[in-house]
Amino acid sequence: MLENPFIQKMLGYAEQGMDLALGWLTSPAAWSQFGLLVVAFGLAWYLSRRLNKAISPLLTPAEDAVGLVATSRRFVLGFLPLLLPLLAYVFTAIGEQVVRSLFDSGAVIAFGKRLFLFLAARILVQRIITDPFLKLLGKFILIPIAALYALGLLDTASAALSEFQVGVGNISFSLMALVRGVIAGSLLFWLGRWSNDQSAALIGKKEELRPATRQLAVKAVEIAIFGLAFLLLMNIMGINLASLAVLGGAVGVGLGFGLQKIASNFISGVILLLEGQATVGDFVELDGGEAGTIVKMTARAIILETYDGRWIVVPNEDFIVTRVINYSDQGSANRYEAEFSVSYDTDINTVPAIVEAAVQGHPDVLLEPYPADCELRGFGESGIDFSVEFWVNGIDDGRHKYTSDVLFLIWNALKDNGIEIPYPHRVVEFKGEMPK
């Protein structure tokens, strides 16, 4: 078992470490460096406490303070825990220069300097970073790299990873390039996501733009940000973009055959955003019977929410090639009717004024384009039939039951004026004797 090459190599490293430790323990230069490390840490601890007491009141905003200045002060305040390890690193670096000029050796104090940098990275990940994704990157990438640097093994690990080559077709890259790409890609796409969220929030505040224009601007910024991130990632990994021509051709063929529906829906989505005929918040109905409020517009489909809480995913192409009824168009008025009847004993000349006044009293009934209009529709079997037309901004369903409200108003108005709402009457004639 001891003849295993890996075990032999590890034992060799352990023996070298023991010799190095014994050398440090018996060397006056090493003891002086240990002393300088203790002095540097003590000075950094004292100075960081003083600076914390002086800086914290200046950076701490009021609890109810909002705005860019208050946010920036809170952001800077969160980095105060880094004062101790960074000051210790600076003082140790100064001490290293002094030791190397006196003893021509500084291995111990250099190790201490790297150790303080490792502590700074650990504090950054554990106490300062709050974003879950960045904290994950720090835990599994930043801290291991800082640990390798503190132990002096970072260059060795980098050289080993650089020597290991990986080839995929005509593309060849080292394992180090892959690791560098994973790190850079994670940071770039996190930054891209953050930038996209900020730009989307900024564009969403531009009320002077049409909703469709805002959606199109958000999509354009998103494509630009992540496209730039992809190009930067390829450059960082050292991959020649010309070598991706074959892959690009394959993707083009796939779009032409297998992905033509996806491409069609994507282009249809762009057309919808440009024309603005349907946008978020509109109530629409398609030829197939699907109806609901548009709650989200994606690159592939539009999501409708029905009034019973269900979501319907409709491909963008359906909004282009089929007939679509848009009931709202961001606030356009819609006309509805409410039918009712009155008794034949009623003076029907007074009914329109009474009903129109009652319906117009509803807070959502509009005066434009037309006020409430009560019309005589016919003479029924049991009563005289009327209908009142009214205009509202919105749909008579879901949260707004306009027709129901209007019928309540009509009922109360007719009752207050002594007008009877009839119910069916039947006249039955008997021939011969009355049945017992």
Side-chain angles (χ1 to χ4, degrees), residues 246-258:
V246 176
L247 179 61
V251 172
V253 173
L255 288 175
F257 292 97

Side-chain angles (χ1 to χ4, degrees), residues 341-351 379-384 386 417-423 425:
S341 299
V342 297
S343 170
Y344 276 101
D345 296 332
T346 305
D347 181 5
I348 61 174
N349 296 293
T350 63
V351 172
F379 303 98
E381 294 182 0
S382 303
I384 304 173
F386 284 87
N417 287 273
I419 299 175
E420 180 183 354
I421 297 177
Y423 52 88
H425 292 78

Side-chain angles (χ1 to χ4, degrees), residues 187-245:
L187 293 175
L188 280 174
F189 281 94
W190 176 86
L191 183 62
R193 186 194 65 181
W194 180 83
S195 302
N196 182 61
D197 292 342
Q198 297 301 314
S199 60
L202 181 63
I203 295 172
K205 295 178 182 178
K206 303 296 182 182
E207 297 293 339
E208 64 273 14
L209 299 176
R210 285 179 56 85
T213 305
R214 292 200 297 267
Q215 288 284 334
L216 182 61
V218 168
K219 292 298 180 185
V221 170
E222 182 179 1
I223 293 173
I225 288 175
F226 285 102
L228 180 61
F230 176 76
L231 294 177
L232 288 175
L233 178 60
M234 293 297 101
N235 188 37
I236 290 172
M237 292 182 65
I239 297 177
N240 188 1
L241 293 178
S243 62
L244 297 177

Side-chain angles (χ1 to χ4, degrees), residues 46 143 154 192 219 243 289 314 343:
Y46 172 76
I143 290 181
L154 185 59
K219 292 298 180 185
S243 62
V314 183
S343 170

